[in-house]
Amino acid sequence: MDHTVLREQEILRLKEELSIRYNYLMGGILLLFTFIYFFIVKEKLFGYYCLSGAIALLSHVYLLNTFFPSLSLEKRVRGYLIVAPIYIYFIILYFWKCSIFQFCWLVPVPLGAYIFLGKKEGSFFSVYTLFIAVVAIFTGDIVPIHTRIKSYENIFRYNDLLSFGFNIVIVYLLIYYKDKIREQELLSIIEKRKRITLPITVDEKEMPFAKPLFEKIENEIVTNEHFTNPEFNISMLSTILKVSNNYISKSIRLQGYSNFSTYINSYRIDYVKSLISKSNLEKVTLMYIYTEAGFTNQSTFNKAFKQFVGMTPSEYIQIQNTGNK
């Protein structure tokens, strides 16, 4: 199977895994609040509200798979992200007179939208979530919700701590999976361009010195000609080798290069020189040559060429033509 398809399947698998774990986590949190408000605080109205949310979260995957099996993960997530802030809105109103901490439950919504649906819908749900928050602020003193809560008692301080702590856990879960998904996306970008099989990874703990790492970097860059990809950067290399950017940068600097860009440009210039010697410059333009080598514009190319060769591309070509006569 094509590596691009495998990467896409892995990204979908990670998103489905995140969705399931999030459902179980939120369902468990709501069941805990159900217990607290049924048996400790004895606010059964809110207890039933939490219980209904827990049942909905823990059963909706089964129900959707049974009655709407063709519904995509994106549509399911989109529907949830529309309903969740409304559900949270009533929680905010319920605690309005004693706590504003319940606003923190809105924080994961735009982050989840960004992970599952992309930047555009992430922005939309950020605005949508902000709108719900503003509505809650303006209706907090207007919409009557029956509650026995009269003051900011100790039990509700613990409730705020639980809410804050659980939201940290939720955000961490989302960020953890976002990193794993982003890694697959970067690898997919590389594989689409070069159609390569990615190399064996390196564990930072197994490389006490920079030289062995630099040999790995050289092998990866040269073998797959990543320097010809204008979008290739240190983050992509870090993803391939599974080594931090800092380790890669230090290894490259210890070999005499000022930074990663200088290192990559050294290969690009060598490639340009090779193409110049092999090409008929009456039929091939200089722009074609430096674009093939990974440069995106002539000014950057000219600057790099002079840095490494000590003369302009035109001067170099003139010397080559003179030597070939």
Side-chain angles (χ1 to χ4, degrees):
M1 185 180 291
D2 187 272
H3 271 246
T4 301
V5 176
L6 289 173
R7 293 294 176 194
E8 290 173 352
Q9 289 180 351
E10 178 64 11
I11 289 170
L12 180 59
R13 186 195 68 79
L14 286 169
K15 288 183 177 181
E16 288 176 343
E17 185 177 281
L18 170 58
S19 174
I20 291 169
R21 292 190 176 184
Y22 173 84
N23 284 333
Y24 284 139
L25 175 60
M26 276 303 304
I29 290 171
L30 287 171
L31 285 176
L32 176 62
F33 279 116
T34 299
F35 176 82
I36 291 172
Y37 281 87
F38 265 130
F39 301 106
I40 299 176
V41 182
K42 301 189 184 302
E43 279 283 330
K44 290 190 176 181
L45 176 62
F46 188 70
Y48 281 120
Y49 192 67
C50 291
L51 181 61
S52 65
I55 293 172
L57 271 171
L58 296 174
S59 64
H60 87 281
V61 174
Y62 170 78
L63 294 174
L64 289 174
N65 287 338
T66 302
F67 298 104
F68 304 98
S70 62
L71 194 65
S72 68
L73 178 64
E74 285 190 356
K75 289 181 179 178
R76 296 180 185 189
V77 170
R78 192 177 290 113
Y80 172 80
L81 292 175
I82 291 171
V83 173
I86 298 173
Y87 181 86
I88 296 166
Y89 166 74
F90 289 102
I91 294 177
I92 294 171
L93 292 186
Y94 193 84
F95 287 93
W96 181 254
K97 292 183 184 279
C98 64
S99 172
I100 62 170
F101 256 79
Q102 307 313 311
F103 279 97
C104 69
W105 291 107
L106 292 170
V107 173
V109 173
L111 179 58
Y114 173 66
I115 293 170
F116 283 97
L117 307 175
K119 290 182 180 179
K120 186 176 180 180
E121 294 204 48
S123 300
F124 168 79
F125 278 100
S126 295
V127 175
Y128 174 63
T129 303
L130 183 61
F131 170 75
I132 295 294
V134 171
V135 170
I137 291 171
F138 282 99
T139 58
D141 292 321
I142 300 172
V143 179
I145 292 185
H146 174 71
T147 173
R148 293 192 307 103
I149 300 173
K150 301 296 183 183
S151 63
Y152 192 51
E153 300 170 4
N154 286 334
I155 187 65
F156 301 114
R157 290 193 178 94
Y158 295 129
N159 179 87
D160 289 346
L161 287 173
L162 283 174
S163 297
F164 183 70
F166 284 139
N167 272 277
I168 289 176
V169 174
I170 293 168
V171 170
Y172 175 81
L173 177 70
L174 293 172
I175 292 174
Y176 174 78
Y177 272 91
K178 175 57 183 173
D179 286 344
K180 293 172 77 71
I181 291 168
R182 179 58 179 161
E183 178 180 320
Q184 295 301 319
E185 289 171 343
L186 285 173
L187 294 176
S188 180
I189 291 170
I190 296 168
E191 289 173 337
K192 280 180 181 179
R193 179 177 175 84
K194 305 304 279 182
R195 298 183 181 278
I196 58 173
T197 302
L198 293 173
I200 299 172
T201 58
V202 180
D203 188 342
E204 290 179 8
K205 296 179 181 177
E206 297 176 355
M207 48 168 212
F209 305 105
K211 189 173 181 180
L213 172 58
F214 188 73
E215 290 173 358
K216 295 281 186 181
I217 295 170
E218 291 268 88
N219 180 64
E220 175 62 25
I221 296 294
V222 174
T223 302
N224 296 302
E225 295 187 346
H226 289 307
F227 53 86
T228 61
N229 178 3
E231 296 177 358
F232 190 78
N233 55 39
I234 194 169
S235 295
M236 289 183 175
L237 183 59
S238 172
T239 300
I240 293 172
L241 299 179
K242 293 194 182 300
V243 178
S244 71
N245 291 5
N246 288 337
Y247 274 86
I248 293 173
S249 294
K250 184 175 181 180
S251 176
I252 288 173
R253 287 199 304 271
L254 289 174
Q255 300 304 316
Y257 299 95
S258 58
N259 52 45
F260 181 78
S261 294
T262 302
Y263 170 68
I264 285 293
N265 284 342
S266 69
Y267 279 108
R268 288 173 177 162
I269 295 302
D270 286 341
Y271 193 65
V272 166
K273 290 163 66 179
S274 174
L275 290 177
I276 288 174
S277 65
K278 296 176 182 177
S279 304
N280 183 347
L281 296 180
E282 293 180 358
K283 297 180 179 179
V284 177
T285 64
L286 185 59
M287 180 179 178
Y288 169 81
I289 290 175
Y290 72 67
T291 302
E292 281 293 296
F295 289 102
T296 55
N297 61 74
Q298 189 165 354
S299 61
T300 303
F301 163 63
N302 288 341
K303 183 178 179 181
F305 194 93
K306 191 163 186 179
Q307 178 186 359
F308 287 100
V309 184
M311 63 183 76
T312 65
S314 300
E315 292 170 343
Y316 179 82
I317 291 171
Q318 186 177 2
I319 292 172
Q320 293 298 306
N321 290 337
T322 303
N324 292 333
K325 289 181 180 180

